[in-house]
C-alpha cells in the first residue's frame, strides 16, 4: 500500500479536534430541567462533575435551569464557545448548526438520533446538516451518539448519569466506538476492573469526524498510549483513509480493533444500528493485518491485550520460561505456548544446576520449572532471577496455585521485584478468594494476571506481535517523527 502523508489542511483539521476534548467554554443546546432527560443529564454531568470550564445553557423554553441562566439561542451567549453539545430533535439540528456558525462555533457534538440510521429521509436530513456545517467550516462528532469523555479534565459529555455508568479513571487507553451502548458498557467495565482511559468517544453515524480522523488525532494526544476501537463498518470509499490512519499511528501506539458485523445477519444489524456497511469480514481482517492493527476477537481479548500492553515491555523473542507450582498447570501452559508459536527451550546444564541448588530434589528444572506444591515465594523469585539472567529465555508465563500451604501472600512482592530484570511476564492463576486477592495485588504492581493458560499466552503473543509490528514499520517513522513533534 502506498503511504502518503496527511496534507497540511487535514493536519490542521485533525489538531482542531483538541477543542472537542479540551474546551474552555461549552454550550449545551437543548438543556433541560426535566429529570433523566438527555438535556438534564448533560447539565448535571457538566455542572456537578470535575470539568472546570465555563458552561452555558441554551433552550428558549427556560429562563434558568438549576439556578443557572438559560439563553434562547447560542447566539445570545456572551462568550465565544469552543464546543457546542446539541441534544434537540433531529429536524431542529440543521437550524442549530446554522446558529452555531453565526456564533462562530467550530466544534459541535450532535447527540440527536433520527438521521441516516432511520432510512432515506434521515439520510437527506444528515446531508443537509453537513452542508450547513461545511459552509461554516464546523466539525461535527455524531449524530446518533452517546457523547465524549476526557478523564484528564473531567469533560463529561455523555448523556448517561454516573449513578448508572461509572466513569473510568485516568489512564492511557483511548476507546472509540460506533456504538454508544457498547461504549457505556466497556467504560463501566473498565471502571470496575480498574483500567484507566484517556478519552472515550462515541461517534455514532460519523457524518463528519470518523474513526480515521479520531485515530490520527489520538496520535498527537500525549495522554493516549493505546487506541482501542469498536467498529461495525466503514463508509464506501473510506477504507483506504482508515487503513492509512492506522499505518501512520501504529509504530507509535498500538491500535486494537474489535469488529462487529462479521456475519451476514450481523452486517444487517449494523446497517440498522449506525447506517454502516459492514463489508466482507475476511477482507477487512486481512487489511487490518497489513497495516499492523491488532484484532481482538471480543472485548475479553481487548482488555487482556490492554493489560499486557500497558503493564509489560514488548517481547523481542520467542523463548519462554514456564514456571509453576502445579504440574498439570505447567503442562497446560506449555501446550498453549507451543500452540501459539512459542518455544519452551530446555535450560542449559549450568542453569539447571543453579536451580537444583535452590529447589527441592523432586522439583522439575528443565523447563517447565515446577517448584512443586512445597514451593515458596522466594523460590519463584530466585528461579526468575537465575533464568532471566542466564539469557536463555525472553519472557515467562508464571502459574500460581495459591491453595498450597507453603505459598504465602508474599508471592506478590517476590514477583514484582523481578520486574527490574526487564523481561515480560504474565501470571496465570485459578481459584477463589485468595486467588482474587493475589491477582488484584499483582496487577496493582504492574503484572497482568489471567484465569487460563490460553488467555495468558495470547497476551504474551500480542506483546511479541507488537514488537514485530514496530520492527516492520520502523523504516517509515523518520518522517512521521518530525510530524508528530511538529
Amino acid at each position: 500500500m502506498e503511504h502518503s502523508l496527511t496534507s497540511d489542511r487535514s493536519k490542521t483539521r485533525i489538531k482542531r479536534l483538541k477543542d472537542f476534548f479540551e474546551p474552555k467554554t461549552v454550550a449545551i443546546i437543548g438543556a433541560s430541567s426535566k429529570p433523566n432527560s438527555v438535556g438534564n443529564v448533560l447539565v448535571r454531568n457538566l455542572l456537578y462533575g470535575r470539568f472546570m470550564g465555563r458552561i452555558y445553557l441554551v433552550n428558549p423554553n427556560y429562563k434558568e435551569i438549576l439556578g443557572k441562566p438559560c439563553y434562547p439561542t447560542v447566539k445570545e451567549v456572551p462568550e465565544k464557545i469552543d464546543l457546542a453539545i446539541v441534544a434537540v430533535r433531529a429536524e431542529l439540528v440543521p437550524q442549530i448548526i446554522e446558529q452555531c456558525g453565526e456564533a462562530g462555533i467550530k466544534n459541535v457534538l450532535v447527540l440527536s438520533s433520527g438521521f441516516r440510521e432511520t432510512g432515506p429521509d434521515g439520510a437527506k436530513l444528515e446531508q443537509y446538516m453537513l452542508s450547513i456545517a461545511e459552509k461554516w467550516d464546523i466539525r461535527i462528532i455524531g449524530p446518533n451518539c452517546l457523547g465524549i469523555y476526557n478523564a484528564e479534565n473531567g469533560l463529561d459529555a455523555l448523556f448517561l448519569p454516573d449513578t448508572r455508568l461509572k466513569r473510568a479513571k485516568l489512564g492511557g487507553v483511548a476507546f472509540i466506538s460506533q456504538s454508544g451502548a457498547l461504549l457505556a458498557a466497556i467504560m463501566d467495565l473498565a471502571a470496575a476492573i480498574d483500567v484507566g482511559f484517556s478519552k472515550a468517544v462515541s461517534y455514532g453515524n460519523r457524518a463528519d469526524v470518523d474513526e480515521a480522523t479520531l485515530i490520527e488525532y489520538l496520535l498527537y494526544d500525549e495522554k493516549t498510549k493505546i487506541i482501542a476501537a469498536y467498529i461495525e463498518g466503514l463508509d464506501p470509499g473510506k477504507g483506504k483513509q482508515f487503513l492509512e490512519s492506522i499505518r501512520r499511528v501504529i509504530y507509535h501506539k498500538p491500535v486494537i480493533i474489535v469488529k462487529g458485523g462479521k456475519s451476514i445477519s450481523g452486517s444487517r444489524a449494523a446497517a440498522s444500528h449506525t447506517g454502516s456497511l459492514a463489508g466482507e469480514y475476511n477482507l477487512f481482517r486481512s487489511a487490518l493485518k497489513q497495516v499492523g492493527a491488532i484484532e481482538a476477537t471480543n472485548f475479553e481479548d481487548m482488555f487482556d491485550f490492554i493489560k499486557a500492553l500497558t503493564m509489560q515491555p514488548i517481547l523481542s523473542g520467542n523463548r519462554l520460561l514456564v514456571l509453576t507450582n502445579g504440574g498439570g498447570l505447567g503442562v497446560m501452559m506449555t501446550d498453549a505456548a507451543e500452540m501459539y508459536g512459542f518455544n519452551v527451550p530446555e535450560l542449559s546444564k549450568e542453569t539447571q544446576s543453579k536451580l537444583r541448588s535452590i529447589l527441592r530434589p523432586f522439583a522439575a528444572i528443565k523447563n517447565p520449572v515446577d517448584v512443586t506444591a512445597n514451593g515458596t515465594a522466594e523460590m519463584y523469585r530466585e528461579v526468575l532471577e537465575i533464568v532471566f539472567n542466564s539469557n536463555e529465555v525472553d519472557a515467562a508465563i508464571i502459574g500460581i496455585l495459591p491453595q498450597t500451604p507453603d505459598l504465602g501472600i508474599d508471592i506478590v512482592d517476590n514477583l514484582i521485584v523481578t520486574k527490574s530484570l526487564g523481561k515480560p511476564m504474565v501470571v496465570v492463576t485459578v481459584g477463589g478468594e485468595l486467588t482474587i486477592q493475589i491477582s488484584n495485588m499483582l496487577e496493582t504492581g504492574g503484572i497482568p494476571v489471567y484465569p487460563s493458560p490460553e488467555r495468558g499466552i495470547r497476551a504474551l503473543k500480542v506483546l511479541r506481535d507488537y514488537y514485530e509490528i514496530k520492527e516492520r514499520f520502523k523504516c517509515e517513522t523518520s518522517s512521521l517523527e518530525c510530524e508528530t513533534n511538529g
Side-chain angles (χ1 to χ4, degrees), residues 3 16 58 94 124 143 167 177 196 207 217 231 268 334 338 355 358 360 362 364 407 409 426 445 449-450 460:
H3 177 71
R16 224 181 71 192
V58 177
K124 287 181 184 175
R167 271 54 172 176
S177 174
Y217 165 74
I231 292 173
R268 191 168 60 247
T334 304
E338 296 202 348
L355 294 178
I358 62 164
R360 304 185 194 284
F362 44 86
L407 193 64
I409 200 78
V426 301
V449 182
Y450 301 94
L460 280 172

Side-chain angles (χ1 to χ4, degrees), residues 8 168 241:
D8 289 343
Q241 182 187 0

